Amino acid sequence: YRIVAKRFVKGVLQQTINKTVPVHDLLIIAMGDSNGSGEGLPPFWFDQCNRGSASYQYQTAGLIEAQSELHTSATFLSASCSGASIQHLIDTDYKGINPGAPLPAQIKQIQDALRPPNGESRRTVDAALISIGINDLAFGPILEYCIKLSHQFRRCEDAPTRAVPSTGPVDSFVRDTKSKTTLGDLIDQLVRDLAPKYAQLADA
């Protein structure tokens, strides 16, 4: 920006300074699950996703700005949503952890928010903070299942187990004495399934 500063003394122009001032504004976007949204650390400024300013993503953007000693500002744009899985970033709508109107896939939310007015160029994203995958590993169902089995098994991953499918990876786990598959086996399979999902996300 070209800045012109004029100094007047009793209405008389004493000095004129012309200077070019560079304006640095970093565009930082965020996508992901509860780890990115700030779950468990209210207050939330978007309750449908339990998204708040205590999230590490929000804090990171603020720290980058603070460390510049006022020479750089940071524009922060987040679509992170508690309970989200990888597909909710790529191409699948999601109602949020506190159900509401379906939210578009997070990549689309970011694209829509960054759509420039006609004739303007789209801003370049300087950094993307992404935290995703824990729900694809059925973190919640595993935790619930192991708590319930804590009095029966020293290691819940050794328990004969059957997975109850849902629209996501797993809805829940149930103990099945007839099963030759353990919880550990099921977790190993979920881990193996992550690699192609991350490849899809990278392409998107």
Side-chain angles (χ1 to χ4, degrees), residues 57-139:
Q57 294 177 334
Y58 184 97
Q59 296 291 328
T60 298
L63 182 62
I64 289 171
E65 183 177 76
Q67 288 180 336
S68 74
E69 298 181 346
L70 302 180
H71 295 295
T72 299
S73 62
T75 297
F76 178 70
L77 177 61
S78 175
S80 291
C81 198
S82 185
S85 61
I86 292 173
Q87 289 305 126
H88 295 133
L89 272 65
I90 301 172
D91 58 12
T92 302
D93 291 355
Y94 178 51
K95 292 184 178 181
I97 194 70
N98 300 306
L103 300 167
Q106 292 184 26
I107 286 177
K108 186 175 189 311
Q109 290 181 51
I110 296 292
Q111 287 174 330
D112 290 345
L114 293 180
R115 183 171 292 116
N118 290 337
E120 299 291 330
S121 58
R122 183 188 293 272
R123 283 196 62 179
T124 299
V125 173
D126 295 293
L129 305 174
I130 302 175
S131 173
I132 197 69
I134 193 71
N135 295 313
D136 294 85
L137 294 177
F139 171 73

Side-chain angles (χ1 to χ4, degrees), residues 148-164:
K148 289 179 178 178
L149 284 184
S150 61
H151 65 288
Q152 300 177 49
F153 283 85
R154 185 164 168 266
R155 289 166 41 93
C156 63
E157 58 264 47
D158 295 333
T161 303
R162 175 169 50 86
V164 178

Side-chain angles (χ1 to χ4, degrees), residues 1 6 9 12 16-17 27 32 35 47 61 75 80 93 95 111 115 125 135 137 150 153 174 177 186 190 200:
Y1 286 87
K6 296 182 179 182
V9 176
V12 178
T16 299
I17 299 174
L27 176 56
N35 189 42
D47 290 334
T75 297
S80 291
D93 291 355
K95 292 184 178 181
Q111 287 174 330
R115 183 171 292 116
V125 173
N135 295 313
L137 294 177
S150 61
F153 283 85
V174 294
T177 56
L186 295 172
L190 289 171
Q200 285 183 327

